[in-house]
Amino acid sequence: MVANEKLPHPDREDIELTSVLFALSDEARLALVQQLKEGPMDMANCSALDPNAPKSTRSHQVKVLREAGVIISELHGRNRRLTLRRDDIDARFPGLLESVLQEESALQE
């Protein structure tokens, strides 16, 4: 795949609950979503993605979230900018994301 090729993202109406729940069921992916709730960031700067993990593992975590419709991954300079699709998830499944993120925050305290 060419580095500047636009990656596919599901349209809002195509986001499925089972895909979102599966994407959020992994601890590493959930940590990434938790970090992205503060705002977009470059993939290289995401502390939720273990820098010691193979690049393929980090890319896979982002791919699962992107294909489920949880995040947008777009080219930003020489890196990928990750953005939480909060408005789209809230429109499709009101309260789901907030509930999951609040629960995760409570568990970390």
Side-chain angles (χ1 to χ4, degrees), residues 15-72:
I15 298 173
E16 298 178 355
L17 180 59
T18 54
S19 298
V20 171
L21 292 175
F22 174 77
L24 297 175
S25 69
D26 179 82
E27 186 177 315
R29 292 191 296 263
L30 185 56
L32 176 57
V33 171
Q34 187 76 26
Q35 190 172 15
L36 289 175
K37 79 177 186 178
E38 302 303 322
M41 64 177 34
D42 286 345
M43 187 171 161
N45 297 332
C46 291
S47 61
L49 294 172
D50 181 3
N52 298 319
K55 184 178 178 183
S56 60
T57 300
R58 295 189 312 260
S59 294
H60 175 72
Q61 300 292 30
V62 170
K63 178 183 176 189
V64 170
L65 289 167
R66 177 182 53 79
E67 289 180 346
V70 178
I71 66 169
I72 294 174

Side-chain angles (χ1 to χ4, degrees), residues 4-5 9 17 20 37 44 47-48 60 77 81 88 94 103-104:
N4 63 0
E5 185 177 320
H9 297 81
L17 180 59
V20 171
K37 79 177 186 178
S47 61
H60 175 72
R81 172 66 49 116
D88 291 335
E103 181 66 26
E104 181 64 14

